[in-house]
Amino acid sequence: MKKPFYQLEQTGDVIRQFTPNWFTMTMGTGVVALILPEFPFASDFLWQLATILWQFNTLLFTVFIILYVLRWLIYPQEAKQIFSHPAMALFLGAIPMGLATVLNGFLKYGIAIYGDVAFQIAQLLWYVDVVLAVGIGVLVPFCMFHKQDHQLHTMTAMWLLPIVACEVAATSGGLLLAHMHASQQAVAILFASYMLWGMSVLPAFGILTILMLRLAVHQLPSKELAITSWLALGPIGTGALALLVLGAQAPQVLALIQLENLGMFFQNAGIVASFILLGFGVWWVAIAVLTTLKHAATELPFNLGWWGLTFPLGVFTLAILSLGHQLNLSFIVDTGLAFAVILMMLWMMVMSKTLRGMYQGNLFFSPCLKTFLERE
């Protein structure tokens, strides 16, 4: 039986067992912080609450980064086993996605608090995020192809995690452009963000196609993995959001190089494509709900994978809200707010279960370490 957190013998117990799936906690908390001010009531209070939540999420991400770096420094042989583990390696993608919520917060809240330095920090973090997203998006799939053991019947939507990070970075690139003057650098960021979108969305849809085959041939995943069904919303929602955010900035950025008409095409095409993607997302929401309800007849065991209920639904909600605001259509915005209410309730539930699990100590567990020790 796991020791409660307060009874852990030494800090090394936490460091040695720390795994990147903890970064899904920063993903979910960060997206909630970005959505909170969208509600049309108590705007000042919600803005302050969201700012505090973003600052808490930034602190949380910093602590997690320190713990994970220490694991690599103190236990390098054990830490590198992650590249051979077919499930835990996928969570490396949560690191750049968690970082994206931090840098987006610097743009949304930090500028008002810290001034221009917040924009400079966000810009630096974006470049770091891009390097991490591209590196993980290539390295982890290569490890899947080269040194990991995967079977069709064991496949889940977790395969999407290392892939989606690039389109999350693309969305952050669009948010960054909203605070920049038209320049050669802005043009480069715009085009790079569209390339990041392509590096992510197209492979993600290939994975979704295989996932649908796996579900048809081998039926639903086990109850321990039931929540993974929600992860499919990630590339769909982020893909739509990135097109909307980048399209909104494209006309003024591309006007610098006399391509304003191309920018208008990007904007209009982004709106049309987002409708199509969000429609696909609605279908996946229904599948995810039915899958969860099917397994809810028996008690679903809690694990950190439950954070998959938050970030994918969060980016899907942000995409709906962004589309509604761009078209100035209140019924679309209201739909997004309805999803936001559901998101807030899910976040509170998952956060409470996570804090309880941290206190009890049963969430500090590294599957790749267990496999490594068994081989030894």
Side-chain angles (χ1 to χ4, degrees):
M1 183 176 179
K2 297 290 181 182
K3 294 182 179 180
F5 178 73
Y6 63 88
Q7 290 184 359
L8 289 175
E9 294 177 356
Q10 54 187 356
T11 306
D13 292 339
V14 176
I15 295 173
R16 193 181 187 191
Q17 298 288 347
F18 190 83
T19 48
N21 55 345
W22 280 97
F23 287 93
T24 59
M25 185 177 179
T26 65
M27 292 166 57
T29 303
V31 79
V32 167
L34 295 171
I35 289 176
L36 263 178
E38 297 294 331
F39 289 101
F41 53 85
S43 56
D44 290 340
F45 169 74
L46 289 178
W47 185 271
Q48 293 174 1
L49 180 61
T51 301
I52 294 172
L53 190 59
W54 164 68
Q55 291 171 329
F56 166 73
N57 190 57
T58 302
L59 175 63
L60 198 65
F61 183 86
T62 303
V63 171
F64 287 173
I65 280 290
I66 292 172
L67 288 174
Y68 197 49
V69 169
L70 286 174
R71 189 185 186 206
W72 275 92
L73 294 176
I74 300 173
Y75 308 104
Q77 291 300 317
E78 296 175 0
K80 72 179 184 180
Q81 300 304 313
I82 192 172
F83 296 111
S84 300
H85 198 275
M88 198 52 59
L90 302 172
F91 285 101
L92 287 169
I95 299 176
M97 288 191 281
L99 178 59
T101 66
V102 173
L103 79 88
N104 293 348
F106 270 104
L107 295 171
K108 189 162 187 172
Y109 308 114
I111 293 176
I113 302 172
Y114 309 115
D116 290 341
V117 68
F119 170 76
Q120 295 169 4
I121 292 173
Q123 189 172 19
L124 174 62
L125 291 179
W126 184 76
Y127 287 111
V128 173
D129 191 59
V130 169
V131 171
L132 286 173
V134 172
I136 291 171
V138 172
L139 179 61
V140 173
F142 179 76
C143 289
M144 294 172 68
F145 306 155
H146 172 57
K147 59 194 303 182
Q148 296 175 9
D149 181 23
H150 291 274
Q151 303 293 331
L152 182 62
H153 70 276
T154 62
M155 178 199 184
T156 69
M158 288 193 301
W159 281 24
L160 294 164
L161 287 171
I163 298 294
V164 177
C166 281
E167 61 188 279
V168 175
T171 304
S172 296
L175 297 174
L176 194 68
L177 289 173
H179 297 271
M180 296 178 65
H181 298 293
S183 62
Q184 291 291 330
Q185 183 186 22
V187 173
I189 290 175
L190 179 71
F191 286 141
S193 295
Y194 275 111
M195 291 183 67
L196 288 167
W197 189 93
M199 288 182 65
S200 179
V201 173
L202 299 183
F205 270 68
I207 292 173
L208 288 175
T209 302
I210 301 171
L211 180 61
M212 292 176 69
L213 173 64
R214 176 255 178 269
L215 291 173
V217 174
H218 298 289
Q219 301 187 330
L220 298 177
S222 63
K223 64 179 181 179
E224 291 81 8
L225 299 172
I227 303 300
T228 60
S229 303
W230 292 85
L231 295 177
L233 278 178
I236 299 169
T238 311
L241 180 61
L243 290 178
L244 290 167
V245 172
L246 291 170
Q249 303 304 320
Q252 55 265 37
V253 172
L254 294 183
L256 180 74
I257 55 174
Q258 289 76 51
L259 289 176
E260 186 174 2
N261 288 337
L262 178 61
M264 291 299 299
F265 170 78
F266 282 163
Q267 184 175 30
N268 294 329
I271 292 173
V272 174
S274 67
F275 270 113
I276 297 171
L277 288 170
L278 291 174
F280 187 33
V282 169
W283 185 86
W284 266 111
V285 168
I287 295 296
V289 169
L290 290 172
T291 301
T292 306
L293 291 176
K294 172 66 173 63
H295 286 295
T298 57
E299 184 178 358
L300 292 175
F302 178 76
N303 53 57
L304 288 176
W306 279 45
W307 282 100
L309 290 168
T310 57
F311 185 80
L313 184 60
V315 292
F316 185 73
T317 300
L318 282 172
I320 296 174
L321 291 170
S322 179
L323 180 62
H325 290 314
Q326 284 197 29
L327 297 178
N328 197 26
L329 293 174
S330 58
F331 72 89
I332 297 180
V333 174
D334 291 342
T335 301
L337 293 175
F339 276 105
V341 170
I342 297 171
L343 172 65
M344 300 302 156
M345 292 189 293
L346 290 173
W347 177 81
M348 288 188 288
M349 176 190 69
V350 177
M351 176 61 81
S352 65
K353 288 181 176 292
T354 302
L355 294 176
R356 188 182 306 118
M358 290 175 67
Y359 178 77
Q360 295 172 347
N362 55 18
L363 293 181
F364 293 98
F365 171 70
S366 173
C368 43
L369 173 59
K370 179 182 177 182
T371 303
F372 173 71
L373 294 176
E374 289 175 348
R375 287 202 304 265
E376 292 292 306

